[in-house]
Amino acid sequence: MQLLALALYHRDGRKDHRVLRFRPGALNIITGESETGKSEVQDIVDYCLGRRTANLPDEPIDQSVGWYALLVTFKDGGRMVLARPRPTGASTLHAMVRTGDATLELPQADELIANSNVAALRSEVSARLGIEDFRFQPPAGTTRNAFDVSIAHAALLCFQNQNEIADKTALFHRQTETGMAQTLKDTLPYFLGAAGPEQSLRRHHLGEAIRAQRQAQRKYDDALRQQAATDAGGLALVRLAENEGLLTDVPPAPDTGQVVALLQQALDASPRTAAPLDLPDRRYELNEERRALREELQEYDDTLAAVDRWQEQGRAFTGELHLQLDRLKSLSLLGPEHLHDTTVCPMCTQPLQEPDPSAQDISNLTTRLSDELTHAQTLQPVREEHRRALQAERAAVAERLRLNGAQLRDLLTSDERMRNLQEQQMRIAHIQGRIAEALSRTGTASDISKLRHDLELAKDRVATLQVLVDEDDVAAETERCLTDIAVNMTAWAKRLNLGQAANATEVSISLNLLNVVVRSPDGRRPLRRIGSAKNHIGYHLVAHLALHTYLRSNSRPVPGFLMLDQPTQAFFPEKPRDASKVQDADWATVTAYFTLLDEVARLNEGNLQIIVSDHANLPEPWFQNAVIANWRPDDEGNRNALIPFDWTP
């Protein structure tokens, strides 16, 4: 997913709106003076992607903007419009989502309507990105809650505001917020491709296999410990076996020899099992049907809402016609006055430049309004009939949806029967285990051999699953991914001549620290132990560029854009008005930073979009070609910024 355009709509609903266009798959630069809204672009994009709490300034944006809209494109060519209204208070959950093909564009101001919410927006964007239905389960014994991985977590890898990019203690967006560091540690392995739903399933199967192995081990150990004849409880075991269907034609009072024979027969008996039901396919069909019915029901709801608005507008129209008609009917009270010459002023008898309408003209208007009112009223029954038809069709779909739910519940009942059968089989296994214990006094070598064989099978299954789980070692796989990322990080850190990079054997990202770590023959240094804001920013740059290059080359479900705010702030005085006029800055290093950004964008061959907001404005042609907005006063001194000059009070 990459950005195509960002739009701001005025609160008064005016037709013209502020649009900032982006170039996908390339370096995009927004340059300009301070206090022109460069930093706010990143906050607006974050807000449009579903952030619940808006991080937008009060002025002048809050005073002028009513809606924000983001146009994004996906790898398959499809597009989405993600729009959010101005937050009321600390946040808002309202949203507008529109999907389409490559022709989809930003909506007009009169098309903005909250047709969704933040949760639905995140869900749709996550699905389009390819984020799996992966619910992260924290380790047992921890107090953290489980959560579904979504675009909200992927977006943390795509932003660096001006405070974060120079932070020596934290590497990622919003990392210093409460609980966010742990969230990054939990989700980064998934986005790197080191963890996923299949790993959780394999661990679940391994746990079941270990429990089965322990059960087989207990049976085998019991068979070895006891080799005596059956005890007084043998007859009770016969009755239990009979109740579970393992024995038939049991004598009312069997003797000792018969009890032993019956127990042996029960031990050798195989319980009757039901043929497995082909439920997954049927459940899939019902779920697909349920999804389609819900979509159809939503379409009827939308249509009925449109009909209701139509009727409301019709009633308002006829009401207005009634009002105006009642006013015009007062002309019927006129006497001879209606013959007055409307070309002459009744007060001064002077000719009028524009004659007043005559009583006859107004009377004709009254007649036309009456006709229009009659025509409008004849449409109401047709509209009501159409609405009733829609409601009947919607009721039919709702009934089908109810029947679908009933069928799904029937499947759940079938699952319950299968579970009951499994419980019965477990009870039978338990009874047979007790019988084996009772017969152990007279048990044969073949009985013990069978138990040994069962145990070996259980051990083999555990060993096989353990190998698969070991191969899924999330921590080791994450380190392997970070090692791959470190190759580019190390090369680019040396290229930018960052502190400690010259002698470094590896520059990498530490999942434990969530920060950059530089390894050299002298030891291991985290970023917080390396001085200079220039180095802090430089290491942030190489880390995020290398991370996104890895994500793009491995087709991971993370948006294909990286937004950086003020990456050259360390080279200028505090809050410069216009960095392009600073003469004593280290322009060679600034140029090297932007050159690396441009080359990495090209290296990813259109799969990575880099958007930079900065005071710098280099004269090089490649830099100027990347500039999508230059917010500096024009030749006439007119202000140029994110918020148009005529929008501010």
Side-chain angles (χ1 to χ4, degrees), residues 573-609:
E574 184 178 358
K575 295 184 179 179
R577 183 64 186 172
D578 187 353
S580 64
K581 298 179 181 179
V582 177
Q583 301 297 323
D584 57 350
D586 188 355
W587 287 107
T589 304
V590 171
T591 302
Y593 279 18
F594 276 101
T595 301
L596 178 61
L597 292 171
D598 183 62
E599 290 182 2
V600 172
R602 297 177 187 275
L603 174 67
N604 283 274
E605 299 179 344
N607 293 319
L608 177 61
Q609 179 185 44

mmCIF file of all heavy atoms in Angstrom, residues 573-609:
data_model
loop_
_atom_site.group_PDB
_atom_site.id
_atom_site.type_symbol
_atom_site.label_atom_id
_atom_site.label_comp_id
_atom_site.label_asym_id
_atom_site.label_seq_id
_atom_site.Cartn_x
_atom_site.Cartn_y
_atom_site.Cartn_z
ATOM 1 N N PRO A 573 20.465 25.482 13.042
ATOM 2 C CA PRO A 573 20.130 26.088 14.334
ATOM 3 C C PRO A 573 18.734 25.656 14.771
ATOM 4 O O PRO A 573 17.937 25.187 13.972
ATOM 5 C CB PRO A 573 20.179 27.589 14.046
ATOM 6 C CG PRO A 573 21.000 27.727 12.811
ATOM 7 C CD PRO A 573 20.780 26.484 12.015
ATOM 8 N N GLU A 574 18.448 25.838 16.040
ATOM 9 C CA GLU A 574 17.154 25.409 16.559
ATOM 10 C C GLU A 574 16.021 26.144 15.862
ATOM 11 O O GLU A 574 16.006 27.375 15.796
ATOM 12 C CB GLU A 574 17.102 25.661 18.065
ATOM 13 C CG GLU A 574 15.817 25.159 18.709
ATOM 14 C CD GLU A 574 15.820 25.372 20.204
ATOM 15 O OE1 GLU A 574 16.836 25.878 20.713
ATOM 16 O OE2 GLU A 574 14.814 25.048 20.840
ATOM 17 N N LYS A 575 15.075 25.390 15.296
ATOM 18 C CA LYS A 575 13.894 25.914 14.609
ATOM 19 C C LYS A 575 14.253 27.012 13.610
ATOM 20 O O LYS A 575 13.864 28.168 13.750
ATOM 21 C CB LYS A 575 12.884 26.451 15.626
ATOM 22 C CG LYS A 575 12.292 25.381 16.527
ATOM 23 C CD LYS A 575 11.244 25.948 17.445
ATOM 24 C CE LYS A 575 10.636 24.847 18.322
ATOM 25 N NZ LYS A 575 9.613 25.379 19.244
ATOM 26 N N PRO A 576 14.990 26.671 12.546
ATOM 27 C CA PRO A 576 15.301 27.699 11.541
ATOM 28 C C PRO A 576 14.044 28.086 10.782
ATOM 29 O O PRO A 576 13.164 27.267 10.536
ATOM 30 C CB PRO A 576 16.295 26.988 10.624
ATOM 31 C CG PRO A 576 15.926 25.543 10.745
ATOM 32 C CD PRO A 576 15.484 25.353 12.163
ATOM 33 N N ARG A 577 13.962 29.327 10.407
ATOM 34 C CA ARG A 577 12.810 29.768 9.613
ATOM 35 C C ARG A 577 12.859 29.140 8.229
ATOM 36 O O ARG A 577 11.848 28.652 7.721
ATOM 37 C CB ARG A 577 12.819 31.303 9.500
ATOM 38 C CG ARG A 577 11.629 31.871 8.747
ATOM 39 C CD ARG A 577 10.349 31.584 9.485
ATOM 40 N NE ARG A 577 9.188 31.995 8.713
ATOM 41 C CZ ARG A 577 7.939 31.739 9.031
ATOM 42 N NH1 ARG A 577 7.680 31.025 10.111
ATOM 43 N NH2 ARG A 577 6.935 32.153 8.299
ATOM 44 N N ASP A 578 14.040 29.143 7.617
ATOM 45 C CA ASP A 578 14.202 28.558 6.286
ATOM 46 C C ASP A 578 15.616 28.001 6.191
ATOM 47 O O ASP A 578 16.582 28.750 6.047
ATOM 48 C CB ASP A 578 13.955 29.608 5.201
ATOM 49 C CG ASP A 578 13.935 29.008 3.810
ATOM 50 O OD1 ASP A 578 14.235 27.806 3.689
ATOM 51 O OD2 ASP A 578 13.627 29.728 2.856
ATOM 52 N N ALA A 579 15.758 26.681 6.294
ATOM 53 C CA ALA A 579 17.084 26.055 6.312
ATOM 54 C C ALA A 579 17.841 26.266 5.011
ATOM 55 O O ALA A 579 19.069 26.194 4.987
ATOM 56 C CB ALA A 579 16.942 24.565 6.604
ATOM 57 N N SER A 580 17.127 26.507 3.915
ATOM 58 C CA SER A 580 17.819 26.681 2.640
ATOM 59 C C SER A 580 18.690 27.933 2.626
ATOM 60 O O SER A 580 19.551 28.087 1.769
ATOM 61 C CB SER A 580 16.796 26.744 1.503
ATOM 62 O OG SER A 580 15.959 27.875 1.649
ATOM 63 N N LYS A 581 18.485 28.832 3.609
ATOM 64 C CA LYS A 581 19.271 30.066 3.670
ATOM 65 C C LYS A 581 20.384 29.998 4.708
ATOM 66 O O LYS A 581 21.099 30.970 4.903
ATOM 67 C CB LYS A 581 18.338 31.239 3.985
ATOM 68 C CG LYS A 581 17.267 31.460 2.910
ATOM 69 C CD LYS A 581 16.352 32.610 3.271
ATOM 70 C CE LYS A 581 15.281 32.814 2.204
ATOM 71 N NZ LYS A 581 14.351 33.919 2.552
ATOM 72 N N VAL A 582 20.520 28.840 5.406
ATOM 73 C CA VAL A 582 21.590 28.683 6.388
ATOM 74 C C VAL A 582 22.885 28.370 5.645
ATOM 75 O O VAL A 582 22.969 27.375 4.922
ATOM 76 C CB VAL A 582 21.253 27.568 7.395
ATOM 77 C CG1 VAL A 582 22.403 27.364 8.369
ATOM 78 C CG2 VAL A 582 19.969 27.908 8.141
ATOM 79 N N GLN A 583 23.896 29.185 5.816
ATOM 80 C CA GLN A 583 25.121 29.054 5.025
ATOM 81 C C GLN A 583 26.132 28.098 5.645
ATOM 82 O O GLN A 583 26.891 27.446 4.922
ATOM 83 C CB GLN A 583 25.772 30.441 4.851
ATOM 84 C CG GLN A 583 24.872 31.460 4.170
ATOM 85 C CD GLN A 583 24.529 31.057 2.753
ATOM 86 O OE1 GLN A 583 25.357 30.490 2.036
ATOM 87 N NE2 GLN A 583 23.295 31.329 2.343
ATOM 88 N N ASP A 584 26.170 28.013 6.983
ATOM 89 C CA ASP A 584 27.248 27.259 7.627
ATOM 90 C C ASP A 584 26.847 25.845 8.010
ATOM 91 O O ASP A 584 27.523 25.190 8.791
ATOM 92 C CB ASP A 584 27.738 27.998 8.879
ATOM 93 C CG ASP A 584 26.608 28.249 9.868
ATOM 94 O OD1 ASP A 584 25.433 28.026 9.487
ATOM 95 O OD2 ASP A 584 26.892 28.667 11.002
ATOM 96 N N ALA A 585 25.747 25.324 7.479
ATOM 97 C CA ALA A 585 25.346 23.953 7.778
ATOM 98 C C ALA A 585 26.234 22.965 7.021
ATOM 99 O O ALA A 585 26.886 23.308 6.028
ATOM 100 C CB ALA A 585 23.876 23.733 7.403
ATOM 101 N N ASP A 586 26.254 21.735 7.504
ATOM 102 C CA ASP A 586 27.030 20.678 6.859
ATOM 103 C C ASP A 586 26.229 20.156 5.661
ATOM 104 O O ASP A 586 25.618 19.095 5.690
ATOM 105 C CB ASP A 586 27.306 19.557 7.867
ATOM 106 C CG ASP A 586 28.267 18.515 7.302
ATOM 107 O OD1 ASP A 586 28.635 18.622 6.116
ATOM 108 O OD2 ASP A 586 28.634 17.590 8.053
ATOM 109 N N TRP A 587 26.262 20.919 4.576
ATOM 110 C CA TRP A 587 25.426 20.589 3.417
ATOM 111 C C TRP A 587 25.900 19.311 2.730
ATOM 112 O O TRP A 587 25.101 18.628 2.080
ATOM 113 C CB TRP A 587 25.405 21.746 2.429
ATOM 114 C CG TRP A 587 24.582 22.893 2.930
ATOM 115 C CD1 TRP A 587 25.011 24.091 3.396
ATOM 116 C CD2 TRP A 587 23.155 22.904 3.043
ATOM 117 N NE1 TRP A 587 23.964 24.860 3.802
ATOM 118 C CE2 TRP A 587 22.796 24.162 3.592
ATOM 119 C CE3 TRP A 587 22.147 21.990 2.759
ATOM 120 C CZ2 TRP A 587 21.477 24.521 3.839
ATOM 121 C CZ3 TRP A 587 20.835 22.347 3.008
ATOM 122 C CH2 TRP A 587 20.506 23.597 3.533
ATOM 123 N N ALA A 588 27.178 18.977 2.865
ATOM 124 C CA ALA A 588 27.668 17.741 2.249
ATOM 125 C C ALA A 588 26.995 16.521 2.901
ATOM 126 O O ALA A 588 26.571 15.584 2.216
ATOM 127 C CB ALA A 588 29.186 17.648 2.386
ATOM 128 N N THR A 589 26.872 16.547 4.237
ATOM 129 C CA THR A 589 26.221 15.434 4.925
ATOM 130 C C THR A 589 24.723 15.418 4.647
ATOM 131 O O THR A 589 24.120 14.353 4.455
ATOM 132 C CB THR A 589 26.469 15.535 6.440
ATOM 133 O OG1 THR A 589 27.883 15.587 6.684
ATOM 134 C CG2 THR A 589 25.879 14.344 7.162
ATOM 135 N N VAL A 590 24.114 16.600 4.608
ATOM 136 C CA VAL A 590 22.691 16.678 4.277
ATOM 137 C C VAL A 590 22.446 16.071 2.902
ATOM 138 O O VAL A 590 21.514 15.293 2.687
ATOM 139 C CB VAL A 590 22.204 18.138 4.329
ATOM 140 C CG1 VAL A 590 20.782 18.254 3.762
ATOM 141 C CG2 VAL A 590 22.251 18.664 5.754
ATOM 142 N N THR A 591 23.304 16.434 1.950
ATOM 143 C CA THR A 591 23.168 15.883 0.599
ATOM 144 C C THR A 591 23.344 14.368 0.603
ATOM 145 O O THR A 591 22.632 13.643 -0.095
ATOM 146 C CB THR A 591 24.202 16.528 -0.331
ATOM 147 O OG1 THR A 591 24.008 17.947 -0.328
ATOM 148 C CG2 THR A 591 24.052 16.006 -1.758
ATOM 149 N N ALA A 592 24.295 13.870 1.429
ATOM 150 C CA ALA A 592 24.512 12.423 1.503
ATOM 151 C C ALA A 592 23.280 11.707 2.052
ATOM 152 O O ALA A 592 22.910 10.625 1.578
ATOM 153 C CB ALA A 592 25.733 12.136 2.386
ATOM 154 N N TYR A 593 22.629 12.300 3.054
ATOM 155 C CA TYR A 593 21.419 11.702 3.609
ATOM 156 C C TYR A 593 20.328 11.586 2.546
ATOM 157 O O TYR A 593 19.708 10.534 2.361
ATOM 158 C CB TYR A 593 20.899 12.534 4.788
ATOM 159 C CG TYR A 593 21.614 12.274 6.094
ATOM 160 C CD1 TYR A 593 22.868 11.657 6.129
ATOM 161 C CD2 TYR A 593 21.056 12.656 7.309
ATOM 162 C CE1 TYR A 593 23.523 11.427 7.317
ATOM 163 C CE2 TYR A 593 21.709 12.431 8.516
ATOM 164 C CZ TYR A 593 22.948 11.814 8.511
ATOM 165 O OH TYR A 593 23.587 11.585 9.690
ATOM 166 N N PHE A 594 20.070 12.699 1.845
ATOM 167 C CA PHE A 594 19.006 12.679 0.834
ATOM 168 C C PHE A 594 19.384 11.801 -0.356
ATOM 169 O O PHE A 594 18.516 11.177 -0.978
ATOM 170 C CB PHE A 594 18.686 14.101 0.375
ATOM 171 C CG PHE A 594 17.728 14.814 1.281
ATOM 172 C CD1 PHE A 594 18.178 15.744 2.199
ATOM 173 C CD2 PHE A 594 16.377 14.539 1.219
ATOM 174 C CE1 PHE A 594 17.297 16.395 3.038
ATOM 175 C CE2 PHE A 594 15.483 15.181 2.055
ATOM 176 C CZ PHE A 594 15.949 16.119 2.971
ATOM 177 N N THR A 595 20.669 11.739 -0.689
ATOM 178 C CA THR A 595 21.099 10.859 -1.777
ATOM 179 C C THR A 595 20.810 9.406 -1.435
ATOM 180 O O THR A 595 20.332 8.630 -2.275
ATOM 181 C CB THR A 595 22.599 11.048 -2.046
ATOM 182 O OG1 THR A 595 22.849 12.414 -2.403
ATOM 183 C CG2 THR A 595 23.055 10.154 -3.190
ATOM 184 N N LEU A 596 21.078 9.029 -0.169
ATOM 185 C CA LEU A 596 20.787 7.658 0.254
ATOM 186 C C LEU A 596 19.285 7.383 0.181
ATOM 187 O O LEU A 596 18.866 6.312 -0.283
ATOM 188 C CB LEU A 596 21.295 7.441 1.682
ATOM 189 C CG LEU A 596 21.012 6.049 2.279
ATOM 190 C CD1 LEU A 596 21.689 4.961 1.459
ATOM 191 C CD2 LEU A 596 21.459 5.988 3.739
ATOM 192 N N LEU A 597 18.472 8.341 0.615
ATOM 193 C CA LEU A 597 17.017 8.165 0.549
ATOM 194 C C LEU A 597 16.565 7.940 -0.888
ATOM 195 O O LEU A 597 15.756 7.049 -1.179
ATOM 196 C CB LEU A 597 16.305 9.381 1.140
ATOM 197 C CG LEU A 597 16.451 9.594 2.642
ATOM 198 C CD1 LEU A 597 15.886 10.949 3.048
ATOM 199 C CD2 LEU A 597 15.752 8.488 3.415
ATOM 200 N N ASP A 598 17.098 8.734 -1.807
ATOM 201 C CA ASP A 598 16.713 8.610 -3.212
ATOM 202 C C ASP A 598 17.170 7.266 -3.786
ATOM 203 O O ASP A 598 16.424 6.601 -4.511
ATOM 204 C CB ASP A 598 17.318 9.774 -4.004
ATOM 205 C CG ASP A 598 16.890 9.739 -5.464
ATOM 206 O OD1 ASP A 598 15.676 9.850 -5.731
ATOM 207 O OD2 ASP A 598 17.768 9.599 -6.341
ATOM 208 N N GLU A 599 18.381 6.841 -3.439
ATOM 209 C CA GLU A 599 18.903 5.594 -3.987
ATOM 210 C C GLU A 599 18.159 4.381 -3.430
ATOM 211 O O GLU A 599 17.920 3.404 -4.158
ATOM 212 C CB GLU A 599 20.399 5.486 -3.686
ATOM 213 C CG GLU A 599 21.240 6.483 -4.475
ATOM 214 C CD GLU A 599 22.718 6.321 -4.198
ATOM 215 O OE1 GLU A 599 23.084 5.406 -3.421
ATOM 216 O OE2 GLU A 599 23.513 7.106 -4.744
ATOM 217 N N VAL A 600 17.765 4.421 -2.155
ATOM 218 C CA VAL A 600 17.018 3.301 -1.580
ATOM 219 C C VAL A 600 15.637 3.203 -2.218
ATOM 220 O O VAL A 600 15.140 2.104 -2.489
ATOM 221 C CB VAL A 600 16.914 3.448 -0.050
ATOM 222 C CG1 VAL A 600 15.969 2.402 0.529
ATOM 223 C CG2 VAL A 600 18.286 3.308 0.588
ATOM 224 N N ALA A 601 15.019 4.346 -2.478
ATOM 225 C CA ALA A 601 13.724 4.318 -3.168
ATOM 226 C C ALA A 601 13.863 3.679 -4.545
ATOM 227 O O ALA A 601 13.029 2.865 -4.959
ATOM 228 C CB ALA A 601 13.160 5.730 -3.286
ATOM 229 N N ARG A 602 14.934 4.021 -5.246
ATOM 230 C CA ARG A 602 15.162 3.420 -6.571
ATOM 231 C C ARG A 602 15.536 1.941 -6.446
ATOM 232 O O ARG A 602 15.149 1.128 -7.298
ATOM 233 C CB ARG A 602 16.271 4.179 -7.300
ATOM 234 C CG ARG A 602 15.930 5.639 -7.590
ATOM 235 C CD ARG A 602 17.110 6.348 -8.248
ATOM 236 N NE ARG A 602 16.859 7.771 -8.388
ATOM 237 C CZ ARG A 602 16.191 8.324 -9.410
ATOM 238 N NH1 ARG A 602 15.731 7.546 -10.373
ATOM 239 N NH2 ARG A 602 15.993 9.627 -9.460
ATOM 240 N N LEU A 603 16.280 1.605 -5.405
ATOM 241 C CA LEU A 603 16.701 0.216 -5.196
ATOM 242 C C LEU A 603 15.499 -0.713 -5.070
ATOM 243 O O LEU A 603 15.537 -1.853 -5.534
ATOM 244 C CB LEU A 603 17.567 0.131 -3.929
ATOM 245 C CG LEU A 603 17.981 -1.275 -3.471
ATOM 246 C CD1 LEU A 603 18.929 -1.905 -4.476
ATOM 247 C CD2 LEU A 603 18.635 -1.213 -2.089
ATOM 248 N N ASN A 604 14.423 -0.218 -4.474
ATOM 249 C CA ASN A 604 13.231 -1.044 -4.271
ATOM 250 C C ASN A 604 12.327 -1.085 -5.490
ATOM 251 O O ASN A 604 11.246 -1.690 -5.425
ATOM 252 C CB ASN A 604 12.452 -0.542 -3.046
ATOM 253 C CG ASN A 604 13.094 -0.966 -1.748
ATOM 254 O OD1 ASN A 604 12.851 -2.051 -1.240
ATOM 255 N ND2 ASN A 604 13.940 -0.094 -1.202
ATOM 256 N N GLU A 605 12.727 -0.448 -6.574
ATOM 257 C CA GLU A 605 12.065 -0.575 -7.879
ATOM 258 C C GLU A 605 10.558 -0.342 -7.804
ATOM 259 O O GLU A 605 9.750 -1.135 -8.273
ATOM 260 C CB GLU A 605 12.348 -1.961 -8.474
ATOM 261 C CG GLU A 605 13.837 -2.209 -8.713
ATOM 262 C CD GLU A 605 14.094 -3.596 -9.272
ATOM 263 O OE1 GLU A 605 13.181 -4.439 -9.187
ATOM 264 O OE2 GLU A 605 15.196 -3.834 -9.801
ATOM 265 N N GLY A 606 10.185 0.761 -7.184
ATOM 266 C CA GLY A 606 8.782 1.140 -7.143
ATOM 267 C C GLY A 606 7.986 0.537 -6.013
ATOM 268 O O GLY A 606 6.803 0.858 -5.852
ATOM 269 N N ASN A 607 8.588 -0.327 -5.205
ATOM 270 C CA ASN A 607 7.861 -0.971 -4.116
ATOM 271 C C ASN A 607 7.929 -0.196 -2.806
ATOM 272 O O ASN A 607 7.249 -0.550 -1.848
ATOM 273 C CB ASN A 607 8.416 -2.385 -3.879
ATOM 274 C CG ASN A 607 8.134 -3.308 -5.040
ATOM 275 O OD1 ASN A 607 7.044 -3.278 -5.606
ATOM 276 N ND2 ASN A 607 9.115 -4.111 -5.409
ATOM 277 N N LEU A 608 8.751 0.844 -2.752
ATOM 278 C CA LEU A 608 8.885 1.636 -1.529
ATOM 279 C C LEU A 608 8.729 3.111 -1.860
ATOM 280 O O LEU A 608 9.374 3.626 -2.778
ATOM 281 C CB LEU A 608 10.240 1.386 -0.857
ATOM 282 C CG LEU A 608 10.529 2.220 0.402
ATOM 283 C CD1 LEU A 608 9.492 1.932 1.488
ATOM 284 C CD2 LEU A 608 11.932 1.941 0.933
ATOM 285 N N GLN A 609 7.871 3.780 -1.108
ATOM 286 C CA GLN A 609 7.631 5.215 -1.244
ATOM 287 C C GLN A 609 8.176 5.896 0.010
ATOM 288 O O GLN A 609 7.829 5.539 1.128
ATOM 289 C CB GLN A 609 6.130 5.469 -1.388
ATOM 290 C CG GLN A 609 5.729 6.922 -1.515
ATOM 291 C CD GLN A 609 4.212 7.071 -1.523
ATOM 292 O OE1 GLN A 609 3.506 6.441 -0.733
ATOM 293 N NE2 GLN A 609 3.696 7.877 -2.421
#
